[in-house]
């Protein structure tokens, strides 16, 4: 098993992700299980699906300028684990 963290190329989106991480428990109390759109250190809206979040937020904000994040109280939820059945010979 290999664990790694994906780096974000855009510093603005990194700032939005840090906003989420610092307030994760508080946001999860309000939006648990929903997808939230974050921009400028504020929640723009909450949605049932990621597709809804992108579609609705893109109506008023340019794509690439906001972060969509699934809200979850578990701090491990922001980590990704990738498994592969590759055999190296």
């Amino acid at each position: 098993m290999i664990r790694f963290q994906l780096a974000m190329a855009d510093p603005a989106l990194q700032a939005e992700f840090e906003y989420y991480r610092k307030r994760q428990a508080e946001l999860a109390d309000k939006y648990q299980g929903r997808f939230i759109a974050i921009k400028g250190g504020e929640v723009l809206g909450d949605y049932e699906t990621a597709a809804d979040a992108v579609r609705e937020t893109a109506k008023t904000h340019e794509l690439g300028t906001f972060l969509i994040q699934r809200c979850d109280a578990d701090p491990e939820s922001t980590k990704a684990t990738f498994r592969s059945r590759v055999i190296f010979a």
Side-chain angles (χ1 to χ4, degrees), residues 35 47-55 68:
F35 290 87
Y47 307 90
E48 185 72 26
T49 68
D52 289 344
V54 171
R55 183 175 33 259
I68 302 299

Side-chain angles (χ1 to χ4, degrees), residues 8 10-18 38 64-67:
M8 290 188 189
D10 189 332
L13 293 182
Q14 182 65 40
E16 308 306 357
F17 184 66
E18 288 305 317
I38 303 171
T65 65
F66 56 87
L67 176 73

Side-chain angles (χ1 to χ4, degrees), residues 42-62:
E42 71 175 288
V43 175
L44 301 175
D46 65 288
Y47 307 90
E48 185 72 26
T49 68
D52 289 344
V54 171
R55 183 175 33 259
E56 293 303 315
T57 307
K59 290 178 180 178
T60 54
H61 296 84
E62 184 180 347

